[in-house]
């Protein structure tokens, strides 16, 4: 029962005086006439004790305002029911004290009810749903304060807290302050990131972290994002350039038209037709296309609705066109994108390229380093080269054709059609691969099949194999012996052919060499005593295979076949050769050899068919460099008519050539590696000109 303030003040002022008076002069008194009681008291709660003098009785004045709350049990004034502060903050009760003589007096008791935090905050609505446009401005109010304020019967100050319970949606929505639950947008929305979220708004009647009893209420706010027209069109296909995936850039479209030819159909473009979308796909605004630049001769038109690119008239100049095509949203012309379209004007290709051979056969060895040649099957000295021809060209050679391997990564084709390994092949077997020759101008292509036999290399099983010094000594000794025999043989032949003049030459030469006037160190190093060391070096790098492979090709003219029969048993044969005369012959052989060695650094084919089998191997073929590699067939027919001029010229060059350490010509057997890793050991035997020259 509410008591007005002035009355309360008056009562409080008078109370001590009145109590004092009554305690002194009357038959009844209370311990405390102004008690305080916490609300929610249990029934029977003792408000105060009453002292009654003998002869006096006490009772509650039933007309006092809050008499119904109280009861007297013995000497105790009790509250016989629970009091709620939110209803009654002050209770007034009068006690009437009487004696038998009829003297009566009144004791007024004022009970102050103390508040206890016994109420939770309460939201007007605990579930709200808001639809928020994607393009809502930062700081804009999402839910007004009135809709979210909670009330508390205890009249506590309410502390609010907002959390997003959907992962990844934190930080977009916030409340204005801990006591102000207005929700506003804190960060720009992106429909691509999330399309809805759920927020919990907590209302507490004590600050977070308070040790007091705290009551909390929760309101749930569902937020739905509505896509807005925020993005311009994107041409497809496109690539995202930011982690937000909000910007997508297309690469140029390309197409081709035949010069002086009208195309009735829409042009076929790479990587696809001109096509743009509205990335705000729930809106999916209509897009129109137009050419806004590059069409200087008004040759092209773009269909506004489909984007199809068509021709109005023929292109007469071979220059390319670089068109700018714009895609615009119909509803907002400022939402646009521009793509470039390159139209190449090409010569009409009447015929597609084709491979004259439907199948190529190649061989290669296990364990070779990557980028080793695949050789022609049956012709192991010629690298395999595929060639597509094109009848559009008078010589059938279309310079625009580039080659590649379609379905294997173990092999690659150079742009010129040489087939190389792309890995170190591990196991022998037959590999079938498809190779394509593509005209990079007309984009027409031809394909062929290459069957590659992968063999185990006889001498080397693994590139990791360590060769012992013994292995090397045996190998070196054998090779030295072979060399010796061949040189001796040469000497014999020369001796037979030239007789005395040669002897004279030898003597002359010998005296020159011993006097030191003619010393060719690099040449010396290539002599047989060093062969084994060199062999060792090279084989450590695993490039001995080429040597072993070439060995079977050591074929000699049939007329010498009897002598050559002993070649594989060279170590035994060599012992009998070391008499004085043979040594002389050997010297002759060397002399002859010096003459015979010719330049092997050829940049192109020798124009005159002068008998030099000018096979050259590039040590380093870079398939990407687009170098033109010419492989000149070893042709036994064009043989033995070297001119003396050539001989002399080559003698002059020979020192230099030796130093360059490259390959050799003719019937000579070269033990050189095509691998670029090391200078190869040069063991060169030449027999091509022993018979009929200079006679
Ligand atoms: C409290 O006391 C009043 C009178 O004193 C009585 O009418 C009432 O029934 C009592 N209530 C309870 C709960 O005891
Ligand atoms: C949002 O409000 C804050 C505080 O008033 C202000 O600092 C900020 O610049 C506002 N941001 C925007 C985008 O208006
Ligand atoms: C150009 O000519 C080729 C070969 O006749 C034909 O296939 C192609 O469709 C032509 N290109 C255009 C754009 O008409
Ligand atoms: C022409 O437009 C239609 C409709 O967009 C499309 O399906 C077709 O692929 C386009 N043709 C070309 C050649 O771009
Ligand atoms: C197109 O053909 C002409 C003549 O036939 C020739 O001169 C020109 O080089 C060719 N252009 C291309 C790019 O091949
Ligand atoms: C590559 O393609 C050819 C022809 O299509 C096929 O015969 C061959 O088996 C394929 N090779 C591999 C390694 O897929």
């Amino acid at each position: 029962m509410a008591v007005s303030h002035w009355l309360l003040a008056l009562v409080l002022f008078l109370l001590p005086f009145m109590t004092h008076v009554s305690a002194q002069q009357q038959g009844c008194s209370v311990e405390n006439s102004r008690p305080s009681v916490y609300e929610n008291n249990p029934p029977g709660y003792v408000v105060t004790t009453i002292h009654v003098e003998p002869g006096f009785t006490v009772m509650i004045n039933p007309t006092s305002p809050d008499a119904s709350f109280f009861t007297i049990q013995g000497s105790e004034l009790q509250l016989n029911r629970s009091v709620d502060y939110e209803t009654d903050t002050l209770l007034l009760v009068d006690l009437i004290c009487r004696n038998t003589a009829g003297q009566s007096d009144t004791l007024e008791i004022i009970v102050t009810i103390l508040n206890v935090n016994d109420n939770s905050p309460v939201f007007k609505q605990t579930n709200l749903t808001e639809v928020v446009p994607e393009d809502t401005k930062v700081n804009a109010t999402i839910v007004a304060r009135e809709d979210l304020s909670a009330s508390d019967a205890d009249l506590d100050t309410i502390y609010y807290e907002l959390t997003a319970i959907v992962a990844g949606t934190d930080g977009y929505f916030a409340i204005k302050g801990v006591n102000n639950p207005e929700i506003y947008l804190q960060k720009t929305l992106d429909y691509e990131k999330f399309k809805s979220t759920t927020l919990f708004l907590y209302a507490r009647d004590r600050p977070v972290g308070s040790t007091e009893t705290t009551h909390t209420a929760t309101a749930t706010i569902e937020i739905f994002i509505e896509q807005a027209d925020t993005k311009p069109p994107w041409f497809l296909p496109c690539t995202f350039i930011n982690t937000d995936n909000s910007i997508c850039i297309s690469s140029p479209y390309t197409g081709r038209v035949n010069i002086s030819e009208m195309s009735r159909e829409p042009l076929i473009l790479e990587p696809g037709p001109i096509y743009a979308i509205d990335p705000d796909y729930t809106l999916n605004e209509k897009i129109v296309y137009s050419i806004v630049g590059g069409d200087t001769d008004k040759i092209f038109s773009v269909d506004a609705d489909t984007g199809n690119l068509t021709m109005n008239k023929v292109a007469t100049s071979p220059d390319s066109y670089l068109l700018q095509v714009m895609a615009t949203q119909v509803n907002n012309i400022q939402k646009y994108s521009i793509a470039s379209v390159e139209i190449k004007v090409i010569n009409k290709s009447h015929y597609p390229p084709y491979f004259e051979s439907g199948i190529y056969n190649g061989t290669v060895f296990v364990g070779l380093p990557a980028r080793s040649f695949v050789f022609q099957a049956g012709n192991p000295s010629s690298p395999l080269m595929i060639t597509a021809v094109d009848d559009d060209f008078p010589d059938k050679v279309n310079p625009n054709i580039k080659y590649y391997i379609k379905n294997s990564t173990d092999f690659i084709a150079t742009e010129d059609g040489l087939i190389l390994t792309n890995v170190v092949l591990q196991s022998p077997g037959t590999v079938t691969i498809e190779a394509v020759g593509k005209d990079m101008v007309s984009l027409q292509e031809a394909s062929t099949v290459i069957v590659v036999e992968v063999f185990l290399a006889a001498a080397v099983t693994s590139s990791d194999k360590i060769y012992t010094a013994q292995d090397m000594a045996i190998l070196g000794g054998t090779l030295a012996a072979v060399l010796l025999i061949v040189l001796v043989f040469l000497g014999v032949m020369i001796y037979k052919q030239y007789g005395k003049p040669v002897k004279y030459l030898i003597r002359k030469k010998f005296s020159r060499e011993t006097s030191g006037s003619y010393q060719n160190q690099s040449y010396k190093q290539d002599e047989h005593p060093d062969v084994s060391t060199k062999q060792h070096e090279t084989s450590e790098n695993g490039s001995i295979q080429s040597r072993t492979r070439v060995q079977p090709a050591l074929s000699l003219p049939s007329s010498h076949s009897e002598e050559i029969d002993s070649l594989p048993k060279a170590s035994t044969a060599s012992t009998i050769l070391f008499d004085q005369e043979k040594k002389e012959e050997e010297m002759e052989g060397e002399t002859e050899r010096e003459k015979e060695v010719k330049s092997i650094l050829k940049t192109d084919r020798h124009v005159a068919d002068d008998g030099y089998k000018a096979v050259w191997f590039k040590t380093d073929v870079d398939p990407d460099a687009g170098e033109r590699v010419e492989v000149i067939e070893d042709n036994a027919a064009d043989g033995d008519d070297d001119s003396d001029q050539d001989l002399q010229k080559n003698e002059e060059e020979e020192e230099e050539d030796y130093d360059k350490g490259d390959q050799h010509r003719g019937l000579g057997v070269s033990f050189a590696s095509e691998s670029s890793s090391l200078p190869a050991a040069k063991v060169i035997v030449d027999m091509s000109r022993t018979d009929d020259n200079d006679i």
Side-chain angles (χ1 to χ4, degrees):
M1 210 164 287
V3 176
S4 62
H5 285 284
W6 64 266
L7 179 60
L8 182 60
L10 181 67
V11 167
L12 288 176
F13 173 74
L14 292 174
L15 197 62
F17 176 72
M18 287 160 66
T19 311
H20 179 73
V21 168
S22 63
Q24 292 293 318
Q25 294 182 352
Q26 292 167 359
C28 303
S29 63
V30 292
E31 201 177 282
N32 184 358
S33 64
R34 221 184 65 171
S36 295
V37 174
Y38 279 105
E39 63 171 325
N40 308 330
N41 58 289
Y45 184 87
V46 178
V47 177
T48 185
T49 51
I50 308 166
H51 181 74
V52 182
E53 295 293 323
F56 284 85
T57 55
V58 67
M59 62 173 289
I60 292 168
N61 180 357
T63 61
S64 58
D66 301 312
S68 65
F69 282 86
F70 296 92
T71 182
I72 294 172
Q73 297 285 333
S75 62
E76 292 173 343
L77 177 66
Q78 297 181 353
L79 274 169
N80 73 346
R81 56 180 161 115
S82 187
V83 186
D84 182 9
Y85 172 83
E86 281 71 45
T87 319
D88 305 291
T89 56
L90 205 63
L91 298 177
L92 292 180
V93 65
D94 293 336
L95 301 181
I96 299 170
C97 197
R98 277 198 183 99
N99 64 7
T100 46
Q103 184 191 344
S104 126
D105 221 331
T106 300
L107 267 179
E108 194 177 51
I109 310 292
I110 300 171
V111 181
T112 306
I113 304 301
L114 299 175
N115 196 10
V116 173
N117 182 13
D118 59 343
N119 286 285
S120 287
V122 176
F123 284 107
K124 260 186 266 175
Q125 29 186 344
T126 52
N127 283 294
L128 280 90
T129 300
E130 292 290 329
V131 175
V132 183
E134 183 186 10
D135 57 352
T136 300
K137 297 245 183 325
V138 168
N139 284 350
T141 298
I142 306 296
V143 189
R145 182 175 188 169
E146 307 82 78
D147 295 336
L148 290 172
S149 292
S151 56
D152 185 298
D154 298 323
L155 302 180
D156 291 322
T157 305
I158 298 182
Y159 301 85
Y160 297 95
E161 187 191 351
L162 185 72
T163 59
I165 60 161
V166 177
T169 63
D170 245 4
Y172 288 89
F173 301 95
I175 52 173
K176 282 274 166 99
V178 73
N179 300 122
N180 179 354
E182 176 183 325
I183 296 180
Y184 70 101
L185 186 65
Q186 191 171 238
K187 197 160 106 180
T188 311
L189 293 171
D190 184 349
Y191 188 75
E192 299 306 320
K193 286 190 182 149
F194 63 98
K195 294 162 181 56
S196 69
T197 185
T198 303
L199 309 175
F200 278 172
L201 180 66
Y202 299 104
R204 298 189 177 92
D205 53 15
R206 292 290 181 276
V208 173
S210 165
T211 53
E212 292 176 52
T213 308
T214 306
H215 294 97
T216 305
T218 307
T220 306
I221 302 128
E222 296 280 350
I223 303 269
F224 292 99
I225 317 263
E226 188 180 63
Q227 196 169 39
D229 192 2
T230 54
K231 299 189 181 83
W234 289 345
F235 280 99
L236 298 186
C238 66
T239 314
F240 291 110
I241 61 162
N242 60 345
T243 49
D244 278 356
N245 287 1
S246 57
I247 304 174
C248 204
I249 300 296
S250 63
S251 46
Y253 297 95
T254 56
R256 291 163 162 72
V257 297
N258 297 320
I259 195 161
S260 306
E261 189 184 277
M262 183 77 180
S263 172
R264 303 285 165 198
E265 297 293 307
L267 300 180
I268 309 288
L269 302 180
E270 293 284 324
I274 295 172
Y275 179 54
I277 54 151
D278 179 4
D280 304 313
Y281 50 88
T282 58
L283 306 172
N284 199 17
E285 293 294 341
K286 183 169 168 52
I287 290 167
V288 290
Y289 305 89
S290 55
I291 295 177
V292 293
D295 191 16
T296 42
D297 304 325
K298 298 273 175 286
I299 288 175
F300 302 99
S301 299
V302 71
D303 185 291
D305 294 327
T306 65
N308 282 345
L309 191 64
T310 49
M311 294 182 82
N312 304 323
K313 55 186 179 186
V314 300
T316 49
S317 126
D319 300 332
S320 296
Y321 291 87
L322 193 59
L323 310 177
Q324 287 172 291
V325 173
M326 182 165 80
T328 312
Q329 279 180 212
V330 173
N331 69 332
N332 182 354
I333 191 169
Q334 294 193 39
K335 291 257 160 56
Y336 70 89
S337 292
I338 292 185
S340 43
V341 181
E342 186 187 15
I343 302 294
K344 292 177 178 145
V345 181
I346 62 169
N347 284 350
K348 188 176 174 69
S349 171
H350 294 275
Y351 307 99
Y354 61 96
F355 284 98
E356 278 178 320
S357 169
I359 184 162
Y360 287 86
N361 291 287
T363 62
V364 73
F365 287 88
V366 162
L368 293 183
R371 301 284 192 270
S372 297
F373 283 122
V374 171
F375 284 87
Q376 292 177 15
N379 189 359
S381 58
S382 303
L384 179 62
M385 190 172 183
I386 58 173
T387 311
V389 294
D390 190 334
D391 292 336
D392 284 317
F393 293 79
D395 53 359
K396 295 197 173 193
V397 175
N398 179 345
N400 304 313
I401 290 181
K402 303 281 183 250
Y403 299 89
Y404 63 92
I405 301 294
K406 199 165 183 182
N407 61 358
S408 174
T409 52
D410 290 352
F411 297 91
I412 53 168
T414 66
E415 288 188 349
D416 305 305
L418 283 166
I419 307 302
L420 310 178
T421 61
N422 196 31
V423 294
V424 179
L425 296 171
Q426 299 299 342
S427 50
T430 305
V431 185
T432 305
I433 53 178
E434 188 176 344
V436 173
K438 181 171 184 175
D439 182 336
M440 301 311 283
V441 171
S442 73
L443 300 185
Q444 291 168 319
E445 52 182 49
S447 73
T448 187
V449 165
I450 305 174
V451 179
V452 182
E453 293 288 345
V454 184
F455 291 119
L456 266 184
V460 177
T461 51
S462 157
S463 55
D464 297 334
K465 177 164 177 182
I466 309 293
Y467 294 93
T468 64
Q470 250 179 334
D471 290 343
M472 289 304 107
I474 292 166
L475 181 63
T478 310
L479 290 170
V482 170
L483 176 66
L484 258 179
I485 292 167
V486 174
L487 289 176
V488 166
F489 174 75
L490 262 174
V492 171
M493 294 309 297
I494 290 163
Y495 186 75
K496 282 183 183 165
Q497 293 288 336
Y498 298 90
K500 279 177 184 167
V502 174
K503 269 187 179 167
Y504 168 74
L505 277 172
I506 291 166
R507 251 173 249 123
K508 209 174 140 194
K509 169 82 175 169
F510 189 73
S511 59
R512 269 211 297 168
E513 282 195 350
T514 45
S515 69
S517 61
Y518 180 75
Q519 288 284 339
N520 185 337
Q521 278 309 316
S522 60
Y523 176 83
K524 287 277 173 204
Q525 276 168 13
D526 287 334
E527 296 288 332
H528 38 355
D530 285 328
V531 163
S532 64
T533 341
K534 286 231 153 196
Q535 294 281 338
H536 190 75
E537 275 172 32
T538 25
S539 55
E540 273 176 356
N541 283 275
S543 51
I544 194 166
Q545 302 94 311
S546 57
R547 204 166 292 120
T548 39
R549 187 176 68 244
V550 175
Q551 216 158 3
L554 185 115
S555 60
L556 293 167
S558 57
S559 60
H560 307 301
S561 54
E562 306 98 308
E563 288 96 322
I564 296 314
D565 279 344
S566 64
L567 261 179
K569 308 154 198 154
S571 52
T572 46
S574 64
T575 54
I576 60 165
L577 295 172
F578 283 97
D579 61 40
Q580 185 55 45
E581 192 188 286
K582 299 285 180 188
K583 271 185 185 165
E584 262 184 22
E585 285 168 358
E586 184 189 329
M587 291 300 301
E588 269 178 62
E590 284 169 19
T591 318
E592 186 65 17
R593 183 175 163 234
E594 282 175 7
K595 286 183 191 169
E596 296 296 329
V597 175
K598 297 284 168 61
S599 166
I600 43 84
L601 281 174
K602 299 222 174 229
T603 51
D604 52 12
R605 186 168 186 164
H606 210 290
V607 187
D609 243 350
D610 58 8
Y612 286 93
K613 293 162 184 80
V615 176
W616 64 274
F617 293 82
K618 288 205 59 157
T619 55
D620 182 10
V621 176
D622 178 6
D624 298 320
E627 282 174 274
R628 194 80 194 142
V629 179
E630 291 203 14
V631 179
I632 290 136
E633 295 285 327
D634 179 81
N635 184 348
D638 47 56
D640 301 327
D641 55 346
D642 294 335
S643 70
D644 276 339
Q645 283 162 326
D646 268 344
L647 185 64
Q648 268 167 2
K649 191 175 157 222
N650 284 311
E651 268 183 11
E652 283 160 24
E653 289 170 353
E654 75 183 38
E655 190 170 347
E656 188 190 330
D657 290 339
Y658 268 111
D659 287 335
K660 285 181 181 167
D662 255 318
Q663 272 274 2
H664 185 52
R665 63 175 179 89
L667 262 171
V669 177
S670 161
F671 294 72
S673 164
E674 76 249 333
S675 155
S676 59
S677 54
L678 262 194
K682 292 191 272 50
V683 183
I684 297 168
V685 183
D686 191 297
M687 301 191 60
S688 63
R689 292 179 57 255
T690 46
D691 304 338
D692 41 9
N693 285 316
D694 305 319
I695 299 177

